[in-house]
Amino acid sequence: MITFSKAGFAAALMIGASSIVAVAPADAKKKEEAPKGPVLSAEFRKPALEAQTALKAKNIAAAEPAVVAAEAIAKSEDEIYFAQIFRLQLESDRVQAASNGDSAAYRRGEIALIKPLEALIANPKTLATDRARFTFRLGLIQYDQKNYAASAVLLKQARDLGETNPDLQLTLVKARIEGGDVMGGAADMQQAINAEIAAGRKPPETWYDYIIPRLAQADKFDDFIRWSQNKLKQYPSAKNWRTLVIYFGFSGKRSDLLDKQQKIDLFRLLRANNALADLADYGQYALYLNTSGLPVEAKAVLDEGTKSGKMALTREDDKALYAAASSAIKLDGPVAPREARARASATGIASIAVADAYLGEGNYAKAVELYKVGLGKGVSKPDEVNTRLGIAYALMRDTANARAAFALVKAKPRDQIAAFWLAWLDLGGTPATS
C-alpha cells in the first residue's frame, strides 16, 4: 500500500480552500504581492472537490468519474499535479480493495501504480521528499515484478534522493543479486555496513546473513571468508562460527571438494570455539580422526561430546567408534617413544605424524617442535603442515607465531582455512559464547 507524506497528502486536501486560487497579476508590483499557492481554475475545482471527497471516503465508484473529469480538464501545472495525485490514490485504493488482504494478489495488481508513480516522479511540482518516496515505491513494484535491473536503478535513485526507509538498502542489494550481480550487491551492502559502523551503529545481522550464503553459492569463497570474518567481529557467537564453517566446508559441492584432513582442521576450529553442536558433529569429527591414525584425539572428542550433553553414545555405530579409538590407543602406546625414531628419520613424514599425535593429545609445544623438524626435512604438503603448526601455536596462545605460520599457507582452500583461524585469533583466540 502506498504511504503518502503528510505534506503531499495535505496538498491534495487543500483544493477546497478559496485562498489557494492565484489570479494572474496585472503588473510587476501585483505579481510580487500575488498569493503563493496552487493555481486552480473554477472549472477544475468542481471535479477536483468531488474526487477529493470520494477518495477520502474510500468510495472508488464515485471517485472514478471525478478523477477522469479532473484529468480531462487539468491544464495548469498545479491542476496536472493534483490530477496525478488523485489518480495514484485511486489506483492504490482500487488495488487494495481488489486484493482483499491477499499480498500476492496485491503484488499482481500493483502494476497499475507504475504509470501514476512515473508521472509524479517526473512532475516538477512533486515535493522532493515525495519524489524520493514515490521512486522507492516504484522500485519495490519493479522488484515484485522480477524486473530486477530496473528495480536496482530506481532504488539507488531513491536512496540518492534521500529516502531513508529501513528496507531500502536490503531491497537494493536483493535486486542486484537476484539480477545476477552478486558482487555488485555485496559492494552495495558493504557500503551500507560501513555507513552504519561510521555512525556508531551495529549493522543488522540479517545484512550479513543475506550476502554470505550467496557468495558461497557463487563460489566467491575469498569474499565469503572476508564477509565471515567481518560478521564474526560483530556477532562472534558459537552458533555463527558453526554456521559459517559448515557453509564453507561441509555444505553442497564444497563437502566433496575438501578432503578429510582439511575438514579435520575445520572441526578443530569448531572445537576450539565450543561450536560443535550435536552427535553428527562429534561423531563425524571423531571418525575422521580415528581413520587418520589419531585415536587419542578421537576419544577426547567423544568424551567432550558426552560430557557436554550434546551427544550420547547410544547407537551401536558410535559405541563401536569409541571402542575402536580406545583399542587403537592401547595398541599404539605412548607417543614419546616414536619421537626419537621420527627425529632420526631421513624424511619429515614420521616427524609430521608424531606432531599430529602430539597436537591431538593437546601437547602443543611438542607438536610445534616436531612440525618444525618435519618442515626442515621437507614435506609433500607444506600448506597442511603450516596450517597445523599455526593451530598448535594458536592453541598454546602464541599469537605472533601462529600468525606467522598461517601466513605461510598459500594454496586454496588451505589459505582460507588459515584465514578462519586468523579470524579466531583476531577475536582473542578464546572460545566463543553460545
Side-chain angles (χ1 to χ4, degrees):
M1 178 179 175
I2 290 290
T3 301
F4 294 101
S5 73
K6 290 181 180 179
F9 191 66
L13 300 179
M14 283 171 55
I15 61 174
S18 60
S19 62
I20 66 173
V21 179
V23 180
D27 55 45
K29 183 177 181 181
K30 288 182 180 179
K31 183 176 181 180
E32 292 174 358
E33 296 173 353
K36 296 180 179 180
V39 179
L40 306 177
S41 67
E43 185 184 20
F44 179 77
R45 284 178 180 282
K46 183 178 182 300
L49 284 169
E50 291 174 358
Q52 172 188 300
T53 302
L55 288 168
K56 190 173 182 180
K58 299 293 183 183
N59 187 340
I60 295 173
E64 173 70 31
V67 172
V68 171
E71 290 173 328
I73 294 169
K75 294 182 177 63
S76 72
E77 289 183 350
D78 290 316
E79 290 173 350
I80 292 170
Y81 168 72
F82 284 121
Q84 289 171 346
I85 285 286
F86 293 149
R87 172 57 64 183
L88 177 59
Q89 186 66 62
L90 174 62
E91 296 300 338
S92 179
D93 289 349
R94 199 196 322 267
V95 173
Q96 185 179 5
S99 64
N100 195 28
D102 185 335
S103 59
Y106 187 87
R107 284 195 295 273
R108 290 192 298 270
E110 66 184 351
I111 295 175
L113 306 181
I114 293 177
K115 286 187 177 180
L117 284 168
E118 288 177 339
L120 280 164
I121 290 167
N123 193 324
K125 286 288 183 177
T126 299
L127 297 176
T129 52
D130 285 337
R131 181 172 290 107
R133 185 169 288 106
F134 293 156
T135 303
F136 172 55
R137 187 68 183 89
L138 187 55
L140 292 179
I141 292 172
Q142 295 291 5
Y143 181 87
D144 286 342
Q145 304 307 314
K146 303 188 186 305
N147 298 324
Y148 299 120
S151 175
V153 170
L154 288 162
L155 293 170
K156 186 176 185 304
Q157 288 175 352
R159 186 181 65 186
D160 294 343
L161 288 168
E163 177 58 37
T164 59
N165 188 293
D167 293 333
L168 189 154
Q169 188 59 46
L170 184 56
T171 309
L172 172 58
V173 171
K174 288 180 176 180
R176 296 194 70 170
I177 290 179
E178 295 296 336
D181 185 8
V182 175
M183 298 312 298
D188 265 347
M189 186 66 87
Q190 188 63 63
Q191 179 183 346
I193 286 173
N194 292 343
E196 288 294 296
I197 293 173
R201 296 187 294 267
K202 192 173 184 177
E205 189 171 8
T206 53
W207 290 6
Y208 296 97
D209 291 343
Y210 183 78
I211 294 294
I212 287 172
R214 284 158 180 82
L215 291 171
Q217 291 164 9
D219 285 333
K220 301 292 184 181
F221 277 95
D222 284 337
D223 296 283
F224 173 94
I225 294 293
R226 179 172 59 80
W227 273 82
S228 296
Q229 290 171 324
N230 291 338
K231 178 185 177 178
L232 289 166
K233 288 176 184 177
Q234 299 293 333
Y235 298 96
S237 68
K239 178 182 176 182
N240 284 340
W241 271 104
R242 183 181 184 278
T243 297
L244 293 168
V245 169
I246 294 297
Y247 261 133
F248 173 75
F250 299 92
S251 299
K253 60 184 178 182
R254 293 287 291 186
S255 184
D256 296 326
L257 291 176
L258 270 65
D259 65 33
K260 180 167 62 176
Q261 298 306 313
Q262 292 159 353
K263 290 176 181 177
I264 284 175
D265 290 337
L266 288 173
F267 271 129
R268 283 171 169 152
L269 178 59
L270 293 179
R271 184 185 180 193
N273 267 300
N274 288 334
L276 295 168
D278 50 29
L279 175 61
D281 285 354
Y282 285 99
Q284 188 62 66
Y285 181 15
L287 179 62
Y288 284 155
L289 291 168
N290 204 50
T291 56
S292 297
L294 298 170
V296 172
E297 188 174 357
K299 181 176 180 297
V301 165
L302 294 173
D303 285 337
E304 282 181 18
T306 53
K307 185 177 180 180
S308 69
K310 294 179 181 179
M311 62 165 287
L313 289 172
T314 55
R315 298 188 315 177
E316 292 304 316
D317 286 350
D318 301 320
K319 292 178 182 178
L321 175 59
Y322 190 86
S326 300
S327 297
I329 291 170
K330 293 178 181 178
L331 183 64
D332 291 346
V335 180
R338 286 180 273 158
E339 180 182 339
R341 296 193 297 272
R343 287 179 181 274
S345 174
T347 69
I349 296 174
S351 294
I352 299 305
V354 171
D356 285 341
Y358 276 133
L359 179 64
E361 287 185 355
N363 192 340
Y364 305 126
K366 276 291 188 181
V368 165
E369 285 184 27
L370 272 296
Y371 282 132
K372 286 184 175 180
V373 170
L375 286 167
K377 295 180 179 182
V379 294
S380 60
K381 296 180 179 180
D383 280 339
E384 180 177 297
V385 176
N386 280 313
T387 300
R388 290 178 175 173
L389 176 61
I391 291 171
Y393 274 128
L395 294 175
M396 64 191 292
R397 305 295 186 263
D398 186 342
T399 301
N401 278 317
R403 290 183 185 280
F406 288 133
L408 296 173
V409 182
K410 302 298 183 184
K412 297 185 190 320
R414 276 280 169 192
D415 65 329
Q416 297 163 335
I417 295 171
F420 261 127
W421 277 93
L422 285 167
W424 185 61
L425 292 177
D426 289 341
L427 293 169
T430 55
T433 57
S434 299

